[in-house]
Structure formats: C-alpha cells, structure tokens
Amino acid sequence: MPYLKRFVNLITEEYDLYLTDEPFANGLLAFIISSIKNKPLTVTLRGWGDLTNAHNEYSNLKFFFLRLISNFVLSKADRIIVLSKATATELNKIYNLRRFYVIERPIDVKYYSGGKRSIKYSIPTILTVTNLRYKNKFRGVVEVIEVINKIKKKTGNDVVLLVAGGGKYLDELKEFAKKFDFVEVLGFRKDVPDVLASADIFVYVSYLDAFPSVILEAQAAGLPVICNNYGGLPESCGWAGIVVKDKKDLEQVLSKLLTNKKIQRKLRYKSYKKMKKYNAVAVEKYVRVWDETIKEYK
C-alpha cells in the first residue's frame, strides 16, 4: 500500500495502540500517526541484520540515514519488543534500547506439524532449511556437509542430507554439493511441512540469526533438532533441542543421534511438548505488554 494511502487509512481510523515491526519508513510513519492521535507506539524488532548492516547491503551514506531514523523512532517508542536476548545485545552496541521486552515469535504450529512425507529414502535422512541469500548461512550449510562427510568416512553408514532454501548462494552450493554423493539440494520449496515430514533429524548451523523460526518449524514437525551456539539460535532451540559448541561437537552429537533411536524419540517428544504450548505462551506475553502500554498511556 502506498504511504499516502496508508497514512490516510491510519489517520481516519481509531486505534488504542500503534505497532510497527521496523523503525525505518514504517516506523517513522507509525510514530507520526501515534503522535497526532496521542496514542502509544510499540516497535517489534525481528533481528539485527538490517539495523546494524550486518549483511553489508547498504552504503555508508544510506546506513547513516537509516541509523538516524531508527535511533529517533526507537527513542520515541513506548515499548520495544525483541525476539531474543541476543538481538538486544547486538542492537545495544549501536542503539540505546530502553524498556525492551524479549518475546518469542509465534508460528503456525498446526501448519508445520501437518506435513506428508514427500521425499522418501530408506536410509537416515537429515534436513537443513535455510536462506541462501546470506553468506553466513551458506557457510553454515557447508559446515554441515563437511561434518556429515566426516561421519560417513568414519562409520561407513549411509545417510542423506536434504538442503532446502533459495537465494544468491544456491548455485554455489549446488556446485559444492557435487563433490558429495549424499547431498540433495532441493532449492526453494513452498511445501516446507512436507519436506520437514520427510526427515529424521533437523540440523541448523548459521552465523547470522536473531531467532530462526525454521528451528521452531522443525520442532513443530516433531523433529529432533541440533543447532550451533551462535546469536539467537540457542534461544530458538531452547530446552527441547541440542546446542553444539563447534564442528567437532556437532560431529560427535550427530554421529550418536544417527545410530540411537532412543535419543531420537526422546528429542521428538521434547519438540512436541515444547511446541504444544509455545504459541499460547508467546501470545500471552505480547498481550500483556500491549495491555500494560495502553493502560500506562491513559
């Protein structure tokens, strides 16, 4: 919706609270409307990549102005919500986040738990789903492939790795994967629930993530989850999965999990148990903060 039309729509309607999920153009618009209407403003920050230029996608000049606008909007917000403690830590290196709350991102648990097995292998199937737009996520996939290759060489056991996700590093990944006969690069997939249902174990390694929802999606599908200890990954994984320290640790944990059905079942149950109440808890936190903000403003 064009900004003028959006402005007219917001100015003619009555709301108790204005919400925005970024402090750039939409954030500035939300601040202007909330000021005119004399209503509170809440900003939800989904990550730190854009706000810190971690992807190196902005020129110095563009980032200077984006940072200027963000600082202004965040300083005027009545409440700031971040998805993870890691997000708050990274953002506080540049911005002064005042009155922030850490609240997890809800997901459609029913949708991700309802997949049908569409890719069928008779051998253990490992899955990773990522956004290959970013080099630091591509790097994580390469690391997973290298670790599985080591496990195969040591044990001689058959295994397949499915890699789902699109982005500018997809072609580079396909070229790299040609060296390994156990890797199937699926590319971008719309049928994520079916892909999740096709796996036995979910592994996610990334070096740029605030709170990856793909880990929650895998847990919603009832998969055992392993992730690395970076950024918001441990917070997303929580008590239901396994967080590894490094490549050596990943090799040991994954090797054991591949051959131990009992541990797989235990982790599957943990995923199910966590996600059964996950959304209700997250939504309750959001509503509590919104209600508190509205009451305080009156």
Side-chain angles (χ1 to χ4, degrees):
M1 184 186 295
Y3 283 105
L4 180 58
K5 188 176 180 181
R6 190 179 303 174
F7 178 85
V8 172
N9 179 61
L10 289 171
I11 205 73
T12 54
E13 297 290 336
E14 292 298 326
Y15 300 98
D16 295 316
L17 174 69
Y18 287 86
L19 311 173
T20 180
D21 62 0
E22 52 97 336
F24 300 149
N26 285 328
L28 191 58
L29 178 62
F31 162 71
I32 293 170
I33 299 295
S34 65
S35 298
I36 293 172
K37 291 287 193 175
N38 194 30
K39 297 292 183 180
L41 171 66
T42 295
V43 180
T44 300
L45 303 175
R46 295 170 293 179
W48 68 78
D50 289 335
L51 286 163
T52 62
N53 200 22
H55 310 310
N56 294 314
E57 293 185 339
Y58 306 131
S59 66
N60 289 337
L61 183 61
K62 184 175 182 179
F63 182 58
F64 171 79
F65 284 108
L66 288 176
R67 182 175 168 181
L68 201 66
I69 294 169
S70 298
N71 254 323
F72 175 77
V73 172
L74 292 174
S75 70
K76 298 298 182 181
D78 296 280
R79 293 290 190 281
I80 297 171
I81 297 173
V82 294
L83 297 180
S84 63
K85 293 177 182 177
T87 301
T89 298
E90 291 298 321
L91 290 176
N92 267 323
K93 293 176 182 178
I94 296 179
Y95 305 95
N96 180 26
L97 300 187
R98 61 187 187 89
R99 305 200 70 172
F100 72 86
Y101 297 77
V102 178
I103 306 178
E104 306 84 358
R105 174 195 286 124
I107 68 161
D108 191 338
V109 174
K110 186 177 180 180
Y111 174 72
Y112 289 106
S113 63
K116 303 295 181 183
R117 192 178 184 101
S118 60
I119 306 167
K120 298 179 181 179
Y121 282 95
S122 58
I123 55 177
T125 304
I126 303 167
L127 170 68
T128 189
V129 180
T130 193
N131 186 345
L132 291 169
R133 174 186 170 191
Y134 304 113
K135 188 173 184 178
N136 284 334
K137 296 192 178 190
F138 164 71
R139 172 188 163 196
V141 177
V142 169
E143 198 168 290
V144 172
I145 293 172
E146 291 173 343
V147 166
I148 295 174
N149 190 48
K150 277 189 176 182
I151 293 172
K152 276 181 59 66
K153 284 183 176 180
K154 287 182 179 180
T155 65
N157 295 333
D158 285 332
V159 65
V160 63
L161 171 67
L162 305 177
V163 183
K168 66 180 182 180
Y169 289 98
L170 177 59
D171 289 339
E172 190 173 342
L173 176 63
K174 286 180 177 178
E175 192 62 33
F176 178 76
K178 288 179 181 178
K179 306 173 189 175
F180 309 93
D181 61 2
F182 61 87
V183 182
E184 182 178 349
V185 180
L186 304 175
F188 175 77
R189 298 289 292 250
K190 291 183 178 179
D191 58 337
V192 174
D194 294 341
V195 174
L196 289 167
S198 302
D200 300 306
I201 299 168
F202 186 83
V203 179
Y204 188 73
V205 175
S206 171
Y207 293 94
L208 185 64
D209 260 301
F211 191 80
S213 58
V214 69
I215 288 178
L216 302 173
E217 292 162 8
Q219 289 176 330
L223 287 174
V225 172
I226 304 172
C227 73
N228 63 315
N229 187 11
Y230 183 87
L233 274 74
E235 293 176 72
S236 183
C237 189
W239 55 269
I242 299 175
V243 180
V244 295
K245 301 187 293 289
D246 49 33
K247 285 177 72 174
K248 185 177 180 181
D249 195 21
L250 175 59
E251 182 185 338
Q252 292 174 346
V253 170
L254 183 55
S255 183
K256 185 176 182 180
L257 190 57
L258 280 166
T259 56
N260 194 317
K261 296 292 184 182
K262 185 177 180 180
I263 297 177
Q264 286 188 33
R265 287 194 296 271
K266 185 177 180 180
L267 287 172
R268 282 182 178 277
Y269 176 71
K270 281 187 172 184
S271 289
Y272 165 78
K273 190 175 180 181
K274 171 188 172 182
M275 298 311 296
K276 187 177 181 181
K277 296 182 178 180
Y278 175 83
N279 275 350
V281 173
V283 170
E284 184 182 345
K285 290 179 182 177
Y286 275 103
V287 172
R288 190 185 307 130
V289 171
W290 294 337
D291 283 345
E292 178 186 294
T293 308
I294 293 169
K295 288 175 183 177
E296 186 178 290
Y297 205 80
K298 288 181 177 179

